[in-house]
Amino acid sequence: MPTLSEVARRAGVTPATVSNVLRNRGRVGEATRLRVLEAIEALGYRPHLSARALAEGRPPTIALMVSSIANPFYPEFALAVENALRRSGRFLIICNTAGDPQTGRAYLEQIAGTLSAGVLVMNANLDFADLRATERRGAPVVLCMWERPLDPPGLPCVAVDFRLAGELAAQHLLALGHRRIGAIVGSKVSGIHAARYDGFVAAMQAAGLDGALAPVRYAPDTTQGGYAAASELLARHPDLTALFATNDLPALGAMQAAADLGLDVPRELSVVGITDIQLARESRPALTTVAVATVEAAELAVALLTELVETPAAPTTPAQSAARVCVVSAPRLVVRASTAPPRK
Amino acid sequence: MPTLSEVARRAGVTPATVSNVLRNRGRVGEATRLRVLEAIEALGYRPHLSARALAEGRPPTIALMVSSIANPFYPEFALAVENALRRSGRFLIICNTAGDPQTGRAYLEQIAGTLSAGVLVMNANLDFADLRATERRGAPVVLCMWERPLDPPGLPCVAVDFRLAGELAAQHLLALGHRRIGAIVGSKVSGIHAARYDGFVAAMQAAGLDGALAPVRYAPDTTQGGYAAASELLARHPDLTALFATNDLPALGAMQAAADLGLDVPRELSVVGITDIQLARESRPALTTVAVATVEAAELAVALLTELVETPAAPTTPAQSAARVCVVSAPRLVVRASTAPPRK
DNA sequence: TTGAAAGCGCTAACAA
DNA sequence: TTGTTAGCGCTTTCAA
């Protein structure tokens, strides 16, 4: 592969000039510029990105930490991230933590700042301390889907009002006339779906029901988890007319459980989820859900990280980080075919 | 961030020695080694991967070209690739071509050989010429799911016997007693699913039916595509008792179409797909399909590419490339709930 | 407008 | 076993 020096030699200039031409720095005579361009063309020169990364002190690369790229939600997000990055001439490294903080730390230690200029974190179950250490080493970190806009994490982040999402979902069921509603929370009790559940409880409360007393199950954030949770809930509380799930995947699982129990959705059981992943549209019946601005979140996250990466590393204090919170558009209800008024 | 020289200074040795310790090159005294290790620890030193890439002449990175990471098949494959790479200390750059050869070429030109040591190609609709050019520039290319083991592409590849997959699917339907079977081919007429369809036709032939005359529709390789194709087929040929699809996504779409037409699957219509993506297990009814060794293919692809990357670049002729064909385990039928004998 | 020179952080001969 | 010396390909002052 031809190098910049070879281009320079051929064009009868020095490497510095070629570099200036490449970066459109201006300070190059038009005739020279043309000669350089011609040499580039003739030689088929392409800049060596690793060399450039070293010289510039920062690679054209961003790492996306996810717990599993195979989770049907992430690809949509990753796609949006990749698109946004490509537009800004950067590249995306996918880091799969498999939900294991060790793996996450290993990734961060290896590539943050040395092979990737910054880090996007998408629910990868990482130690907060590791993230702050990463920041301190000079690789900015952005949390991609913070659940509580009003409770910033002390790290730059893109926040989604998931509490509102929970409220909207519950309000929809309530408006349809449901009163006996079960909840499936796709994480641990103290987990990241807490805000969504809070919203649900609040909406119930507001409707004069004791939301905290509504039957609830905590389950893994998967279809299987939702399936198991729904099976249990329906076995224990046969009078439930609707199920609220904090995420689409468990909601989809709940629909399967209903199908296997011979319950017709939505006639005998309504199901609502949160996020609006592609599958929600494609399931039968199509899932009613609360759509989250995934693409917008991805773009904001990339924009925020880009800014941080390009800003001369003013060592960020927690307070400064706290200030870097972008909130995406409010979630909105998408009514499809999995919800209906309860049978009397 | 501390550099190797700083570590050297602190340990009272030269950079070369530190490098030797880091690479476990052996030729270092035990006492020195310990001192160096201690300095590394004390300083929190981590090797700068971009610098190393430049010095070694090759980055620790591999590019995976896919048409859309959001296609439910790719994440499973990408996950397996990522795992295999991580085990070998490499990192994964995701390149989304959106099926556009331009975008693909731009990616290849930018990063192949300069930011990524090699390229994995997963049905990204790339120009063959671009791939060969990439190879010539010194960045090995491996095709990840070549469809016809007996017809090598002139590029190193991992091949899957998709013709056999098509045969197995058809044989299953035939064995159940189906005779009026429609086919949904998830690509253009001359597209990459041709081998699968060939297998289908051959199996029909072998059963004494004129497979080539079986109703067939070509459609995009998506649920929507399958939905539309199945709707058409069933409208035009109400006597069909089974549908064969060359991929799971269209098969799933076909099941939805059946549901919307009020046809019970599998009682009134059997549906079979190919690949066995995660969704196939999770759909209701669960999809009968022919499982392809995805993980094995990913691992073989990584192994093959790794070998090519590490082999001192003997400029490969097409003939040599042709020799680099790995074939994964044969596909195998997975019977689930979407197939049954035809109603008399 | 162009050139000269130093250096990014690391590796790898080759010498000692 | 360890050090010396050149780079890898590019960017970027600073001079001319």
Side-chain angles (χ1 to χ4, degrees), chain B residues 88-100:
Chain B
S88 77
R90 274 179 246 269
F91 303 89
L92 175 65
I93 296 187
I94 295 278
C95 306
N96 239 97
T97 66
D100 172 27

Side-chain angles (χ1 to χ4, degrees), chain B residues 92-159:
Chain B
L92 175 65
I93 296 187
I94 295 278
C95 306
N96 239 97
T97 66
D100 172 27
Q102 301 282 354
T103 308
R105 180 180 318 133
Y107 255 129
L108 288 173
E109 287 185 346
Q110 287 187 89
I111 71 176
T114 80
L115 191 64
S116 91
V119 177
L120 252 23
V121 179
M122 180 72 229
N123 180 18
N125 195 22
L126 294 166
D127 274 340
F128 213 79
D130 292 332
L131 292 175
R132 294 214 58 92
T134 302
E135 258 192 335
R136 256 179 280 116
R137 282 198 213 97
V141 172
V142 168
L143 265 32
C144 286
M145 283 242 169
W146 185 249
E147 305 249 329
R148 301 180 302 275
L150 297 178
D151 172 23
L155 229 37
C157 71
V158 172

